Amino acid sequence: MLRILTMTFAASLLMAGAALADPIEGNWKTDSGATAAITTCGSSFCITLKDGKHAGKRIGTFNADGANAYSGKITDPANDKTYNGKASLSGSTLKMSGCVLGGLICRGQNWKKI
């Protein structure tokens, strides 16, 4: 009986952990049509391309700044340049942006959750 209770408790903890996943985690379709996976890596979130020309390449690391707001570094896989990045989540859309020169020049994309 104790073994069954222990196994039930362990299963409950695993399911609770999955339910507490951050909304940024998952697979996202980029503007270029590639799929980007956002997963936890330590206390941050890592962005890795899953398919396309740059499949397997890590292109960013972000930290949570508050409710549905994130900041970190994002790399353009085409030229390997890294920018200060920000992301904000609204429903199933993740608005990504990267800036240089203290925010004078910025570029952005809207990714859709898949």
Side-chain angles (χ1 to χ4, degrees), residues 21 23 25 29 31 34-35 38 42 51 56 67-68 76 78 96 108 110 114:
E25 292 180 87
K29 189 61 74 176
D31 280 357
T35 300
I38 301 180
D51 58 19
N68 299 325
D76 182 338
M96 302 287 291
N110 292 316
I114 52 176

Side-chain angles (χ1 to χ4, degrees), residues 16-64:
L20 296 175
D22 195 282
I24 197 174
E25 292 180 87
N27 293 320
W28 298 86
K29 189 61 74 176
T30 69
D31 280 357
S32 68
T35 300
I38 301 180
T39 59
T40 57
C41 55
S43 61
S44 301
F45 299 98
C46 291
I47 306 169
T48 305
L49 293 174
K50 292 181 70 174
D51 58 19
K53 182 178 179 181
H54 304 285
K57 188 171 201 172
R58 182 182 287 180
I59 61 165
T61 305
F62 279 72
N63 294 308

Side-chain angles (χ1 to χ4, degrees), residues 43-113:
S43 61
S44 301
F45 299 98
C46 291
I47 306 169
T48 305
L49 293 174
K50 292 181 70 174
D51 58 19
K53 182 178 179 181
H54 304 285
K57 188 171 201 172
R58 182 182 287 180
I59 61 165
T61 305
F62 279 72
N63 294 308
D65 288 341
N68 299 325
Y70 306 86
S71 64
K73 300 288 183 182
I74 189 81
T75 300
D76 182 338
N79 63 19
D80 282 329
K81 290 187 179 186
T82 300
Y83 304 93
N84 292 320
K86 290 190 178 192
S88 61
L89 183 64
S90 177
S92 62
T93 300
L94 184 64
K95 183 177 181 179
M96 302 287 291
S97 66
C99 300
V100 294
L101 300 173
L104 286 174
I105 301 172
C106 298
R107 210 169 50 164
Q109 292 188 5
N110 292 316
W111 294 2
K112 296 290 182 188
K113 191 138 195 186

